[in-house]
Amino acid sequence: MKILSQNTAFGGMQGVFSHESDVCKTEMAFAVFVPPQAISEPRPVLWYLSGLTCTHANVMDKGEYRRLAAELGLIIVCPDTSPRGNDVPDELTNWKMGKGAGMYLNATEMPWSEHFQMYSYITEELPALIASQFRADMTRQGIFGHSMGGHGALTIALKNPERFKSCSAFAPIVSPLKADWTQDAFEKYLGPDRANWRPYDACALIEDGARFPEFLIDQGKADSFLETGLQPWLLEEAVKGTDIGLTLRQHERYDHSYYFISSFMDDHLRWHADRL
């Protein structure tokens, strides 16, 4: 693991690191905030998954999480959104595909399958590295994210309920099978058979029997992607008749930006801390 930067913040440490990923077959960067309590004892881990076009840096620079994370004693891990590097395939004119748009899935179609193994990276390889390099209590993990990262958080939690004790999302893509900005990427990553898409669709996972105790979701009503891309009402429909708790809060005037995310970041951190 390489140290790219380390800075003191609120008595803790904000670091950026990189390592050679075996599953993504390229160097991957990630950010970690370690609270001051980790000096003396292992602390719970909260994973934040970013959205389309983002890197680890967007939430680190604009998410405003460090003050309260330090107070609550939470380790915050912010992975990148996709593999990168000169050998990694990309579509330079398509921001919904390739670098910055890994969709938190394991691609099965060439040329994407060689590098785009983000599901395994987030659920297996990076957690092992975090466990070995930081004073982290891996028995207490939560996960949240924004947009594409919200999709990732929901699906990863639903498929790993024994690992994660909490899950929330800001403006998540709840059904990539129906969202207008994911279908092209899913077909290229996973092929045309939509049955292969269902393991990466929160609503489909719930329909197919996956369960998680409860979700917190915040959604801005002024979000330009709301009607055709995010569609949180589909998740409301999916959880009906199940024992999954859903707190869906919709906010007037808020859009899809980090102004929205930072406005409700404290609520999400406290939500996770209460459950971790």
Side-chain angles (χ1 to χ4, degrees):
M1 188 178 77
K2 298 178 184 177
I3 299 173
L4 303 183
S5 66
Q6 285 184 312
N7 299 94
T8 300
F10 298 99
M13 183 276 297
Q14 177 65 68
V16 179
F17 310 91
S18 70
H19 71 116
E20 289 295 330
S21 168
D22 290 334
V23 297
C24 294
K25 295 182 173 59
T26 189
E27 188 173 23
M28 298 289 288
F30 62 96
V32 181
F33 176 73
V34 180
Q37 297 90 333
I39 294 171
S40 58
E41 62 178 353
R43 300 305 303 170
V45 179
L46 182 54
W47 297 81
Y48 178 89
L49 306 184
S50 292
L52 286 162
T53 76
C54 293
T55 70
H56 65 277
N58 296 74
V59 69
M60 187 178 75
D61 294 343
K62 297 182 285 188
E64 302 183 22
Y65 58 80
R66 278 175 288 270
R67 177 192 57 79
L68 190 57
E71 178 183 321
L72 298 172
L74 296 173
I75 294 174
I76 311 291
V77 180
C78 308
D80 202 348
T81 52
S82 76
R84 300 180 192 270
N86 294 332
D87 296 332
V88 175
D90 195 17
E91 291 188 2
L92 296 177
T93 60
N94 184 3
W95 60 274
K96 303 173 186 176
M97 185 71 200
K99 295 178 185 178
M103 298 292 176
Y104 302 104
L105 51 75
N106 284 346
T108 57
E109 303 297 301
M110 290 295 291
W112 311 102
S113 57
E114 182 178 0
H115 296 282
F116 284 76
Q117 301 294 310
M118 288 299 295
Y119 178 80
S120 292
Y121 179 70
I122 297 295
T123 61
E124 298 173 16
E125 187 175 36
L126 189 55
L129 184 63
I130 296 299
S132 69
Q133 297 293 324
F134 299 91
R135 192 169 283 118
D137 183 351
M138 303 302 280
T139 68
R140 294 187 288 166
Q141 296 185 64
I143 190 166
F144 67 150
H146 171 231
S147 195
M148 178 185 73
H151 137 73
L154 293 172
T155 56
I156 289 171
L158 283 163
K159 291 196 283 187
N160 298 274
E162 74 290 341
R163 175 180 298 185
F164 296 100
K165 297 183 179 297
S166 57
C167 179
S168 70
F170 303 98
I173 303 169
V174 303
S175 184
L177 280 87
K178 298 177 180 177
D180 62 349
W181 57 354
T182 50
Q183 295 183 41
D184 178 59
F186 268 55
E187 182 165 350
K188 291 175 181 176
Y189 286 142
L190 301 171
D193 185 351
R194 289 189 168 221
N196 297 326
W197 302 13
R198 295 183 69 83
Y200 302 106
D201 182 298
C203 293
L205 282 166
I206 293 169
E207 291 169 5
D208 293 343
R211 294 293 181 265
F212 198 78
E214 57 182 338
F215 299 115
L216 168 65
I217 292 178
D218 278 301
Q219 175 65 61
K221 285 189 173 183
D223 191 320
S224 61
F225 302 109
L226 178 59
E227 295 297 326
T228 60
L230 304 173
Q231 304 171 309
W233 51 86
L234 296 176
L235 187 62
E236 284 186 300
E237 288 297 319
V239 302
K240 285 182 179 178
T242 75
D243 57 356
I244 299 173
L246 174 62
T247 301
L248 173 60
R249 308 190 305 182
Q250 301 189 64
H251 306 278
E252 300 287 349
R253 305 191 307 279
Y254 283 95
D255 59 17
H256 200 67
S257 70
Y258 268 90
Y259 296 110
F260 158 64
I261 296 169
S262 62
S263 296
F264 299 101
M265 178 63 77
D266 282 7
D267 290 353
H268 284 247
L269 294 181
R270 288 192 175 96
W271 163 277
H272 288 278
D274 287 346
R275 290 153 179 79
L276 297 175

